[in-house]
Amino acid sequence: RNFYYITILRDPVSRYLSEWRHVQRGATWKASLHVCDGRSPTTEELPSCYIGDDWSGCSLKEFMDCPYNLANNRQVRMLSDLSLVGCYNLSVMPEEQRNKVLLDSAKENLKRMAFFGLTEFQRKTQYLFEKTFNMNFIAPFTQYNSTRASSVEIDEQTQKHIETLNFLDMELYDYAKDLFLQRYQYMRQKEHQEARRKRQEQRKILKAKQAHNKEQSDDNSTTDYIGNVERWR
């Protein structure tokens, strides 16, 4: 079998707020082992943000204030090769170097994926998926802009704080959006060129048929004329 990796990226601020609302309602990631290089991180490498069974009811400020919150830059971390930076051991290399390695790895893995889409471009995502895999969905994608995250009202300072906490995701998303739109434009141009080529072929076939029909018509006219001349004699 052939297996293909695909993913859907989301605007980092919206994604972060959505995860906060999810956690606020009692969701946890306890089932996630975060295995890297064959082992899970120790509690020293990955401390918990809360005490007890879950973090339900936490405020957005509490969510943002936890330095160990895995919601921060989640998209980069999940797309990158963590073994390149020593997994969850932050003492392996300086923070600036670690961030660069993670971001470069995430960009490279994203670029090499068979397909990726963006939630803010649902129709374009559907179009690219169908063209990439030569498959058609039964129903068209619907662009939903009203989500739980969109209903959260935040001020400009909070917005900037979330962007700072997710600065790697912000850079990855800008890269992904540019690459996505390039691929979309390329696929559309390719489709137009193919349609133009088919129209040209159809015109050639039509002209050939018309020329053939004219030849037959001329031959028939000549034959009729010669036959008439023989009768007139």
Side-chain angles (χ1 to χ4, degrees), residues 44-58:
E44 289 75 21
E45 291 173 334
L46 189 60
S48 177
C49 284
Y50 58 90
I51 299 173
D53 293 333
D54 58 44
W55 206 8
S56 59
C58 72

Side-chain angles (χ1 to χ4, degrees), residues 170-211:
M170 295 293 293
E171 191 167 339
L172 175 68
Y173 194 75
D174 286 342
Y175 170 83
K177 184 186 291 188
D178 182 61
L179 182 59
F180 176 85
L181 293 176
Q182 283 183 42
R183 290 181 176 179
Y184 176 79
Q185 291 299 332
Y186 170 80
M187 200 64 75
R188 293 290 293 181
Q189 289 173 3
K190 186 178 178 182
E191 185 180 42
H192 291 326
Q193 289 170 356
E194 182 64 20
R196 191 182 304 117
R197 185 186 63 79
K198 287 182 178 179
R199 287 196 300 269
Q200 289 172 347
E201 286 182 356
Q202 289 171 352
R203 282 197 292 267
K204 285 180 182 178
I205 293 171
L206 181 60
K207 284 181 180 179
K209 284 182 178 179
Q210 289 173 343

Side-chain angles (χ1 to χ4, degrees), residues 82-188:
L82 289 180
S83 65
L84 297 175
V85 295
C87 298
Y88 293 90
N89 186 351
L90 302 181
S91 64
V92 170
M93 62 180 68
E95 183 180 2
E96 186 175 347
Q97 181 185 356
R98 176 186 174 88
N99 290 337
K100 184 181 185 310
V101 172
L102 286 175
L103 182 59
D104 289 346
S105 176
K107 287 180 177 179
E108 186 63 24
N109 287 335
L110 184 72
K111 184 173 66 176
R112 290 178 177 274
M113 279 187 174
F115 168 82
F116 74 88
L118 302 176
T119 56
E120 69 174 299
F121 297 116
Q122 289 286 345
R123 294 293 177 87
K124 288 182 174 66
T125 293
Q126 177 178 2
Y127 173 82
L128 271 180
F129 185 95
E130 291 176 340
K131 293 299 179 183
T132 300
F133 296 108
N134 195 26
M135 298 170 63
N136 292 318
F137 286 93
I138 295 174
F141 285 14
T142 302
Q143 184 69 49
Y144 288 111
N145 294 319
S146 179
T147 63
R148 288 191 176 93
S150 66
S151 66
V152 178
E153 294 185 5
I154 56 175
D155 56 32
E156 186 177 350
Q157 184 178 357
T158 303
Q159 168 96 12
K160 293 295 183 185
H161 190 183
I162 295 174
E163 289 176 358
T164 300
L165 290 172
N166 293 275
F167 70 102
L168 293 177
D169 274 9
M170 295 293 293
E171 191 167 339
L172 175 68
Y173 194 75
D174 286 342
Y175 170 83
K177 184 186 291 188
D178 182 61
L179 182 59
F180 176 85
L181 293 176
Q182 283 183 42
R183 290 181 176 179
Y184 176 79
Q185 291 299 332
Y186 170 80
M187 200 64 75
R188 293 290 293 181

Side-chain angles (χ1 to χ4, degrees), residues 18-82:
S18 179
E19 183 167 350
W20 163 60
R21 293 297 297 270
H22 195 49
V23 167
Q24 195 181 44
R25 293 191 301 273
T28 69
W29 312 116
K30 290 181 178 180
S32 301
L33 301 178
H34 306 295
V35 174
C36 178
D37 271 353
R39 71 175 184 87
S40 296
T42 64
T43 53
E44 289 75 21
E45 291 173 334
L46 189 60
S48 177
C49 284
Y50 58 90
I51 299 173
D53 293 333
D54 58 44
W55 206 8
S56 59
C58 72
S59 67
L60 179 56
K61 185 179 184 307
E62 290 174 324
F63 195 72
M64 292 188 296
D65 286 347
C66 177
Y68 319 112
N69 194 344
L70 289 180
N72 299 345
N73 295 309
R74 182 179 288 281
Q75 293 180 112
V76 164
R77 190 179 63 259
M78 294 188 73
L79 283 171
S80 62
D81 182 356
L82 289 180

